[in-house]
Amino acid sequence: MLIFSVFKTLTDQQVTVELKNDLSITGTLKSVDQFLNIRLDNIKVLDEARHPHMMAVKNCFIRGSVVRYVQLPPSGVDTQLLEDATRREHVSQAKR
Amino acid sequence: MDTSLAIQEPFDLIRLSLSERVFVKLRGDRELTGVLHAYDGHMNLILSDVEETIMIIDQHEGTTGEQHTIAKRKMDMLFVRGDGVILVSPPSR
């Protein structure tokens, strides 16, 4: 839930999603759901020569399970807030 | 601090590594080091100041030897999906 919230705060920002098949896509994060499925607009594939079939694609929906990494804009992430929220989430899970 | 008291379940070890530099081993011969800022029960991670190391093993036909190529790259702020994580190790101190 915590990481879902982080992605929600990053909507309309520029991110780079690297998939498990090594395809890297940069685009504007339009929306995200609880499975961390991601919708990107205005996309650009990093290595277009290797993935020419992606050239015509302007926006896409990425299934969460095929994501390896997401490079985030450092300015959009409050690291202190994140660490506190992570500790809090851990405590609330331990009580269950 | 008595770590045996502080650590009761495996995730406690990761919690104590928050805001510290950790080593992460991933599927596909990848390794990361970076400062840990967040994680969840799936081992999804958020790291900053990340260096990724990829081991590429080329096997040439006709030769018995394997050649290891190491590729490195740096990233500022990175989300790592938990299903690729093999291990997370706290900084060696």
Side-chain angles (χ1 to χ4, degrees), chain A residues 55-67:
Chain A
M55 270 169 71
V57 186
K58 292 285 164 266
N59 48 62
C60 64
F61 173 96
I62 299 169
R63 184 178 156 102
S65 65
V66 302
V67 172

Side-chain angles (χ1 to χ4, degrees), chain A residues 13-74:
Chain A
Q13 300 212 48
Q14 198 80 0
V15 297
T16 301
V17 181
E18 183 176 321
L19 309 184
K20 286 175 179 155
N21 65 359
D22 292 327
L23 177 63
S24 287
I25 307 170
T26 302
T28 312
L29 181 67
K30 288 318 281 185
S31 59
V32 64
D33 67 12
Q34 54 165 330
F35 303 110
L36 305 184
N37 297 321
I38 289 172
R39 232 194 73 218
L40 291 181
D41 272 6
N42 281 318
I43 65 161
K44 185 120 185 77
V45 171
L46 257 63
D47 191 356
E48 279 202 317
R50 215 157 67 85
H51 307 279
H53 56 286
M54 289 296 291
M55 270 169 71
V57 186
K58 292 285 164 266
N59 48 62
C60 64
F61 173 96
I62 299 169
R63 184 178 156 102
S65 65
V66 302
V67 172
R68 181 187 291 134
Y69 301 136
V70 182
Q71 285 174 246
L72 313 170

Side-chain angles (χ1 to χ4, degrees), chain B residues 3-65:
Chain B
T3 46
S4 63
L5 259 177
I7 298 182
Q8 268 153 18
E9 52 169 299
F11 269 116
D12 290 346
L13 188 70
I14 303 181
R15 195 192 58 215
L16 293 171
S17 307
L18 278 168
S19 79
E20 305 239 36
R21 187 160 276 277
V22 293
F23 169 82
V24 184
K25 192 170 163 60
L26 298 169
R27 287 168 166 276
D29 300 313
R30 285 161 195 267
E31 293 172 352
L32 301 174
T33 60
V35 181
L36 182 67
H37 296 298
Y39 67 86
D40 65 11
H42 304 287
M43 291 256 259
N44 293 320
L45 311 171
I46 293 178
L47 305 168
S48 73
D49 192 14
V50 183
E51 184 172 68
E52 183 193 36
T53 308
I54 312 172
M55 281 263 276
I56 303 155
I57 299 167
D58 313 311
Q59 265 177 327
H60 298 289
E61 283 177 49
T63 58
T64 47

